[in-house]
Amino acid sequence: MSDYELKKRIYSLFSVAALVLPATALFVLLWRQVYNYMTTFPYYFKGFVMLSFMYALLMAFFLKVADGVQTVYFHRVEPVLSMVPSVLAVNLIFYMVTCLLSTYLVPVKGFLVLTLADMVMLLILIRLFGFLRDKILGEQKLLLIYDHHLPREVERICAGWDGAYKIDRVICADEGFDKCKKAINKYGAVVLCDLPVELRDRVAEYCQEKKVATYYTPGLSDMVFQSGHGLHYFESRILKQKTKELTMAQRFTLLGYLKKVYRGSSQTLYERVRERIEKGEKDFIVTANPQTLMSALYDEELDKVIRGEDTLVVPDGYGLIVALKLAGFGDYQKIAGVEFAKLLLKMADIKSLRVFLYGASDEVIHRMQELVKKEYPHAMLVGAYNGYDNDHDEIMEKAVSAKPDIFMAALGVPAQEKLIASYFDRFDRGVFLGVGGSFDVLSGYKKRAPGIFLDLNLEWLYRICTEPSRIRKFMQSNLYFMSELKRIKSIQ
Ligand code: UDP
């Protein structure tokens, strides 16, 4: 993030506090003077603190949601449009809360005066912050990259943003990607003007990597896919490219992944696998969660696996089930990798199948050997190797010679899927499955989430609580995944 962007964020945070605090002070003053003794249980010190906190929080939330706390406005009327509904909404909510606490309809006059005072005060403050902003932050110098011809319009629009942006240098994309990269390195912010989508995504990706703020003029495809809402394209408004937002091509890819997800239950999958094994056919099962699919968008090899004709993508993770529902695909059933691995071992026991296990620590794989011997005595264990001290290729050669009916790799996503994919053609038959941390759980080395978490579909919560290192990855993939679903729905 450039110094300018950092200053902008700090300034924005400061202006939220400076708008919310005086509004809260006015509210508490009014409450103390007028409404406190109308309520059934009047407040003293702690009650006021709690009330102020709630008011401030709600006001900050509404202002933020309504874009009332931006540092730059395109038009003077924008802050008024966002501030007025926020103030009205918060004061209406607190009027209703006051009525509830008083158990009758309290006079509304006080709240009307408060709302009016808030609006006048906030308008003055917003103007003042606009003035201070120019003094403190100054104008942001932009690099503009265009394709073939430069629309003069863009300069006018940039100047329209309260004079906060200035196009400092203009460069044509025809001059080559390397030249663009060199220019980008010297700027804190870049405008991408009417670039073809592919090139735009490439440049935007580089900007993200360099933490350079990226703005782009919406193209026809944005209007079609994002719909006109939010684009205000009659104003040709320049949009800020959100970091991590998926490109249009990635959205289509994700849609393709979702369409591939297996719609059956554990039982139907079990039957399918049994049949295939009996017929001497092959199956490659990927137990996927949102994290798997999001990773595939950035990983060519994993992408190939997910799209592969031989691959069956099964939903392992409640996040994916919710996602499919939200995206309008209907109801799916979760097929937990660990449960399915157990079913496969049972099948191996019933039908005396050949089982090959690869992955997890040495201790865990020994425990797995013991487990198979004790609980699945008719299963033929034709290989069991830990996932740390062995060479992948050596083990896979051993697996090819062992001709397993069931091959399970517990090496984590995407290593296990990639490994299976690269050797899949060498096997004539059998079911191949990446099982992540399932050996750890099946062997009793790690505990699975307690029943109540499973019943409430909160296994993910248990896992991030017990392994906090997962939080970042979980948030990144799941939140972006969910935020993309609305758009995915609109392009179906
Ligand atoms: N693992 C392994 N070799 C490695 C890295 C990981 O065998 O080089 C094992 C690890 O011990 C664990 C499994 O792979 O048993 C991955 O589990 P995790 O829960 O991280 O995978 P996920 O289900 O999240 O893909």
Side-chain angles (χ1 to χ4, degrees):
M1 194 190 303
S2 69
D3 282 356
Y4 187 90
E5 283 289 313
L6 185 69
K7 271 205 274 177
K8 216 163 94 177
R9 285 197 189 180
I10 295 173
Y11 182 81
S12 161
L13 209 69
F14 164 78
S15 46
V16 182
L19 290 180
V20 166
L21 292 180
T24 309
L26 274 187
F27 165 72
V28 175
L29 206 71
L30 170 84
W31 179 282
R32 241 189 101 172
Q33 299 300 330
V34 182
Y35 292 106
N36 198 28
Y37 291 102
M38 293 183 190
T39 60
T40 318
F41 301 105
Y43 290 140
Y44 295 94
F45 181 70
K46 281 185 196 158
F48 284 125
V49 172
M50 184 59 90
L51 212 57
S52 329
F53 186 68
M54 272 173 63
Y55 190 88
L57 205 69
L58 217 59
M59 184 64 94
F61 173 76
F62 274 94
L63 281 172
K64 188 85 195 147
V65 168
D67 278 345
V69 286
Q70 287 176 194
T71 46
V72 179
Y73 294 100
F74 186 64
H75 198 286
R76 275 183 190 179
V77 79
E78 269 187 279
V80 183
L81 287 182
S82 51
M83 183 270 293
V84 170
S86 308
V87 168
L88 279 177
V90 175
N91 286 341
L92 180 68
I93 291 174
F94 273 83
Y95 172 72
M96 292 191 292
V97 170
T98 314
C99 291
L100 287 173
L101 289 174
S102 315
T103 61
Y104 69 98
L105 278 181
V106 294
V108 76
K109 211 168 110 196
F111 271 94
L112 287 179
V113 173
L114 173 73
T115 307
L116 211 65
D118 276 346
M119 286 184 187
V120 174
M121 183 185 68
L122 292 185
L123 267 186
I124 295 173
L125 285 174
I126 287 174
R127 290 300 312 152
L128 181 70
F129 292 147
F131 173 76
L132 284 179
R133 180 203 180 285
D134 292 347
K135 299 269 166 255
I136 297 171
L137 295 179
E139 62 186 8
Q140 181 164 31
K141 288 196 169 68
L142 301 170
L143 165 73
L144 184 141
I145 305 178
Y146 68 99
D147 186 43
H148 301 313
H149 81 280
L150 170 67
R152 290 276 137 214
E153 178 75 347
V154 176
E155 288 194 43
R156 185 188 68 77
I157 295 159
C158 283
W161 284 79
D162 269 356
Y165 298 107
K166 179 176 184 290
I167 295 181
D168 191 55
R169 187 176 162 196
V170 172
I171 180 170
C172 178
D174 286 347
E175 292 183 42
F177 190 49
D178 283 340
K179 203 153 176 206
C180 291
K181 284 206 291 199
K182 262 192 204 151
I184 290 168
N185 292 343
K186 294 189 191 138
Y187 283 85
V190 175
V191 183
L192 310 178
C193 182
D194 291 345
L195 298 187
V197 174
E198 241 174 73
L199 178 63
R200 186 184 86 184
D201 292 342
R202 211 165 141 216
V203 178
E205 212 169 285
Y206 182 74
C207 291
Q208 276 176 22
E209 208 178 281
K210 294 282 160 194
K211 303 217 174 356
V212 169
T214 323
Y215 300 87
Y216 67 99
T217 52
L220 188 61
S221 53
D222 297 294
M223 293 172 195
V224 174
F225 293 123
Q226 295 186 11
S227 82
H229 177 73
L231 285 178
H232 309 298
Y233 47 86
F234 49 90
E235 289 270 31
S236 295
R237 180 172 173 168
I238 293 175
L239 302 170
K240 185 158 184 194
Q241 176 123 352
K242 285 191 197 124
T243 24
K244 294 284 177 194
E245 194 171 271
L246 296 186
T247 64
M248 212 55 75
Q250 284 174 317
R251 276 184 205 137
F252 275 110
T253 309
L254 194 53
L255 180 63
Y257 294 165
L258 291 179
K259 283 191 170 154
K260 256 203 92 171
V261 176
Y262 180 71
R263 203 188 262 274
S265 62
S266 300
Q267 202 46 46
T268 56
L269 182 63
Y270 179 90
E271 291 305 325
R272 172 193 156 118
V273 169
R274 190 179 53 78
E275 255 176 49
R276 292 224 164 183
I277 293 177
E278 277 172 6
K279 286 187 190 157
E281 292 173 351
K282 289 196 285 186
D283 226 349
F284 179 4
I285 298 174
V286 173
T287 50
N289 55 30
Q291 213 165 304
T292 319
L293 300 188
M294 289 304 270
S295 311
L297 293 176
Y298 300 93
D299 182 331
E300 247 176 73
E301 239 182 292
L302 185 60
D303 170 76
K304 230 167 121 192
V305 172
I306 305 279
R307 288 168 189 256
E309 264 178 41
D310 300 315
T311 321
L312 193 70
V313 180
V314 304
D316 174 8
Y318 189 59
L320 193 51
I321 305 288
V322 173
L324 285 158
K325 179 116 189 147
L326 285 177
F329 285 84
D331 292 325
Y332 281 72
Q333 293 182 38
K334 180 177 157 182
I335 301 178
V338 60
E339 296 297 341
F340 197 68
K342 221 170 169 177
L343 281 181
L344 287 180
L345 289 175
K346 211 163 155 189
M347 187 194 297
D349 186 38
I350 297 169
K351 303 202 154 287
S352 303
L353 300 176
R354 302 165 71 81
V355 178
F356 196 106
L357 307 178
Y358 180 36
S361 66
D362 203 36
E363 181 186 346
V364 169
I365 203 78
H366 274 114
R367 286 185 184 212
M368 283 301 291
Q369 283 172 305
E370 293 303 312
L371 178 91
V372 173
K373 255 190 232 159
K374 208 167 129 205
E375 306 214 354
Y376 309 97
H378 300 107
M380 283 186 274
L381 198 55
V382 292
Y385 299 91
N386 78 58
Y388 290 93
D389 310 324
N390 294 298
D391 177 65
H392 285 337
D393 294 313
E394 255 173 47
I395 299 298
M396 291 312 282
E397 290 298 340
K398 284 186 182 158
V400 171
S401 319
K403 297 188 186 308
D405 297 302
I406 296 170
F407 176 93
M408 291 195 244
L411 301 165
V413 177
Q416 57 199 22
E417 281 73 23
K418 288 183 186 176
L419 192 66
I420 293 176
S422 59
Y423 276 86
F424 192 65
D425 287 344
R426 302 271 311 276
F427 292 93
D428 298 326
R429 48 177 295 188
V431 56
F432 297 81
L433 175 76
V435 291
S438 300
F439 292 174
D440 298 341
V441 176
L442 289 175
S443 66
Y445 178 76
K446 266 190 198 168
K447 275 207 172 77
R448 203 175 171 200
I452 178 118
F453 282 83
L454 299 180
D455 292 345
L456 295 172
N457 290 316
L458 292 174
E459 190 173 8
W460 54 272
L461 182 65
Y462 178 83
R463 285 192 89 177
I464 54 178
C465 288
T466 49
E467 292 172 69
S469 57
R470 286 182 183 271
I471 288 180
R472 202 179 136 86
K473 224 166 133 191
F474 174 85
M475 295 299 256
Q476 267 180 0
S477 43
N478 282 271
L479 290 187
Y480 291 129
F481 187 71
M482 293 292 172
S483 73
E484 285 297 335
L485 289 173
K486 215 175 106 215
R487 295 197 173 106
I488 300 245
K489 196 172 177 184
S490 74
I491 60 176
Q492 278 182 79

